[in-house]
């Protein structure tokens, strides 16, 4: 058999690589504490489950689901978004259901890029952002993110010849993996930059609710109220612990929504209607479940940071997300893959190597806070012996 060359850039994936390393550790008898994957261990709220359960026994929910039948979900999205961010949304033309926001980042480049066109991506950044560009035959210009600039890209550093070939920019704040947040002023700068250079601005926004304390983070549409160049992708996976249900949505510029809808129509018939019922219950119901989730991860963050400090590993306290982005000790500063491979082999603690998110992620490791505090403390105890 012969396979497409577009598969070549997809051979390496940080999550697949760590999955193999975890398998080897299990084979050696190591009990695994998995901090490598940002899949919440918290349960989906009961009222969401109840809505899905009630749909399961209704045979009218068992068939294909075309766009028009998603109207109630799209209305719930528009109402939720308007209430939270003060932006008017047309549920008919400015909202599109997705099978998780990752579907949007993977498929949107097919609607935007011609082979050889350039996408401006964050480095480090989430792997599916690059995967979608590769599948579309596009090229990637990595925008380096460094701590001394708050892990924000310096847009003025992008070379003019690159900009001439560029068609889209992907941002994502609060940011995975660095946990950085972006102020509204930066989003306004990014929108003006994309308008000037005729770029589509894609904002992947899975952690919009996962912010600690009284801090509020902006939506990209607050900087682009006319929705001139922007589309935002949201998922129910983090805020409502619905990762396995694979439900999210795109919201923003109607032409971009229509283009993504055309791609989607070739690929799938939307998510199961019962799951959309659950998502409607989540968006329109009591939001105390979201507050509880955020408070739980804040407690875990504090436990992990304090325990790391006790073993001499000083790490900045993140203001958002469910991760810790930790600078590696000097002896591992240039080899995050070996650090994570040896760590899981010797201790059973699995983490994600920073370089797996991009060249500028080298020297860091990402820990996902997806276990209770006692297990997080145990993980740090094991790492202390390893170090």
């Amino acid at each position: 058999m012969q396979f497409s060359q577009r598969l070549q850039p997809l051979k390496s994936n940080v999550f697949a690589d760590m999955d193999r390393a975890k398998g080897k550790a299990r084979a050696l008898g190591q009990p695994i504490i998995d901090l490598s994957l940002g899949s919440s261990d918290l349960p989906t709220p009961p009222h969401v489950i109840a809505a899905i359960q009630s749909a399961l026994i209704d045979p009218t929910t068992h068939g294909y689901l075309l766009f028009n039948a998603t109207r109630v979900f799209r209305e719930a999205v528009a109402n939720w978004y308007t209430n939270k961010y003060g932006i008017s949304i047309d549920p008919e033309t400015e909202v599109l259901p997705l099978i998780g926001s990752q579907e949007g980042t993977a498929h949107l480049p097919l609607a935007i890029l011609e082979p050889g066109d350039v996408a401006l991506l964050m480095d480090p950044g989430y792997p599916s952002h690059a995967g979608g560009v590769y599948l579309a035959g596009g090229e990637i210009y990595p925008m380096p993110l460094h701590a001394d600039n708050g892990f924000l890209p310096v847009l003025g550093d992008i070379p003019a010849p690159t900009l001439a070939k560029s068609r889209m920019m992907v941002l994502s704040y609060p940011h995975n993996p660095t946990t950085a947040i972006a102020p509204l002023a930066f989003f306004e700068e990014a929108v003006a930059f994309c308008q000037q250079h005729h770029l589509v601005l894609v904002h992947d926004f899975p952690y919009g609710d996962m912010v600690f304390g009284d801090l509020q983070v902006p939506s990209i549409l607050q900087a682009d109220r006319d929705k001139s160049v922007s589309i935002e992708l949201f998922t129910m996976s983090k805020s409502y612990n619905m990762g396995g249900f694979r439900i999210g949505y795109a919201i923003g510029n109607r032409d971009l929504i229509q283009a993504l809808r055309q791609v989607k129509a070739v690929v799938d018939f939307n998510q199961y209607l019962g799951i959309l019922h659950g998502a409607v219950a989540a968006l329109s119901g009591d939001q105390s479940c979201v507050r509880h989730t955020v408070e739980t991860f804040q407690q875990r963050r504090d436990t992990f940071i304090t325990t790391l400090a006790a073993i001499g590993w000083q790490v900045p306290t993140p203001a958002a997300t469910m991760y810790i982005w930790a600078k590696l000790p000097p002896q591992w500063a240039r080899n995050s893959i070996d650090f994570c491979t040896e760590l899981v082999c010797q201790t059973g603690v699995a983490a994600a190597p920073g370089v797996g998110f991009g060249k500028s992620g080298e020297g860091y490791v990402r820990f996902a806070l997806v276990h209770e505090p006692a297990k997080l403390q145990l993980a740090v105890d094991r790492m202390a012996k390893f170090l």
Side-chain angles (χ1 to χ4, degrees):
M1 294 182 184
Q2 291 186 348
F3 294 94
S4 168
Q5 288 299 309
R6 68 173 57 91
L7 292 180
Q8 294 302 311
L10 307 180
K11 281 187 173 181
S12 179
N13 178 284
V14 62
F15 302 121
D17 293 345
M18 283 311 302
D19 195 50
R20 284 189 288 271
K22 286 180 284 187
K24 291 179 181 178
R26 287 190 185 95
L28 295 172
Q30 284 285 8
I32 303 297
I33 301 178
D34 194 351
L35 308 181
S36 67
L37 190 63
S39 178
S40 177
D41 61 313
L42 301 180
T44 304
H47 67 287
V48 175
I49 296 296
I52 297 172
Q53 284 178 324
S54 65
L56 288 172
I57 60 175
D58 178 2
T60 65
T61 71
H62 296 174
Y64 290 132
L65 189 68
L66 300 182
F67 178 78
N68 286 335
T70 69
R71 174 78 188 190
V72 173
F73 171 71
R74 288 182 279 113
E75 289 175 342
V77 166
N79 291 335
W80 179 89
Y81 194 92
T82 299
N83 290 336
K84 188 172 180 69
Y85 297 109
I87 305 291
S88 178
I89 300 295
D90 181 357
E92 190 64 26
T93 62
E94 296 177 339
V95 179
L96 182 69
L98 298 175
I99 304 177
S101 63
Q102 187 165 325
E103 183 206 345
T105 57
H107 287 159
L108 192 57
L110 293 169
I112 297 171
L113 301 178
E114 299 289 356
D117 286 346
V118 174
L120 309 174
L121 304 188
M122 297 177 296
D123 175 16
Y126 192 66
S128 77
H129 298 168
V133 174
Y134 288 134
L135 288 176
E139 299 177 6
I140 290 173
Y141 176 83
M143 300 183 293
L145 309 182
H146 298 302
D148 57 6
N149 195 48
F151 295 109
L152 300 174
V154 180
L155 303 182
D157 287 349
I158 302 170
T162 299
L163 279 174
K165 297 169 55 182
S166 298
R167 297 293 177 265
M168 64 185 291
M169 176 190 292
V170 180
L171 299 175
S172 182
Y173 292 98
H175 185 235
N176 177 15
T178 70
T179 79
I181 58 175
L184 182 60
F186 171 76
F187 280 166
E188 290 171 342
E189 177 190 356
V191 168
F193 185 87
C194 290
Q195 290 170 335
Q196 177 184 355
H197 296 286
H198 308 290
L199 304 174
V200 170
L201 180 50
V202 183
H203 187 228
D204 195 11
F205 200 33
Y207 301 98
D209 291 325
M210 298 294 292
V211 184
F212 306 125
D214 296 326
L215 189 65
Q216 299 290 323
V217 294
S219 158
I220 199 69
L221 297 186
Q222 290 177 289
D224 186 11
R225 290 179 173 269
D226 294 332
K227 311 178 191 78
S228 62
V229 295
S230 305
I231 185 170
E232 193 157 69
L233 309 174
F234 189 85
T235 177
M236 313 293 289
S237 298
K238 311 303 180 183
S239 303
Y240 301 99
N241 304 309
M242 295 179 67
F245 293 102
R246 309 309 305 134
I247 180 65
Y249 60 83
I251 190 167
N253 178 280
R254 64 182 58 201
D255 294 329
L256 291 172
I257 292 291
Q258 176 61 26
L260 182 55
R261 180 180 167 187
Q262 287 178 263
V263 175
K264 185 177 176 66
V266 177
V267 177
D268 67 75
F269 281 119
N270 295 296
Q271 190 53 281
Y272 167 55
L273 181 57
I275 292 176
L276 264 65
H277 286 343
V280 170
L283 292 169
S284 59
D286 184 0
Q287 299 300 293
S288 61
C289 59
V290 179
R291 292 191 293 272
H292 173 71
T293 293
V294 174
E295 289 166 0
T296 298
F297 280 103
Q298 182 172 351
Q299 180 188 14
R300 294 176 179 188
R301 175 203 68 176
D302 294 343
T303 295
F304 201 75
I305 291 287
T306 301
T307 311
L308 282 179
I311 68 168
W313 195 347
Q314 302 293 333
V315 175
T317 301
T321 77
M322 56 199 298
Y323 307 110
I324 301 295
W325 184 242
K327 200 167 189 177
L328 284 166
Q331 65 269 36
W332 298 99
R334 295 187 179 276
N335 207 330
S336 58
I337 291 179
D338 279 0
F339 173 85
C340 290
T341 302
E342 291 296 319
L343 180 68
V344 72
C345 180
Q346 295 186 32
T347 71
V349 176
V355 74
F357 298 94
K359 181 180 177 181
S360 295
E362 184 58 284
Y364 288 86
V365 60
R366 192 198 74 176
F367 298 104
L369 302 173
V370 291
H371 292 284
E372 294 181 352
K375 187 164 282 190
L376 294 175
Q377 290 177 316
L378 176 60
V380 176
D381 290 342
R382 291 185 186 179
M383 287 193 289
K385 296 176 183 177
F386 171 78
L387 292 171

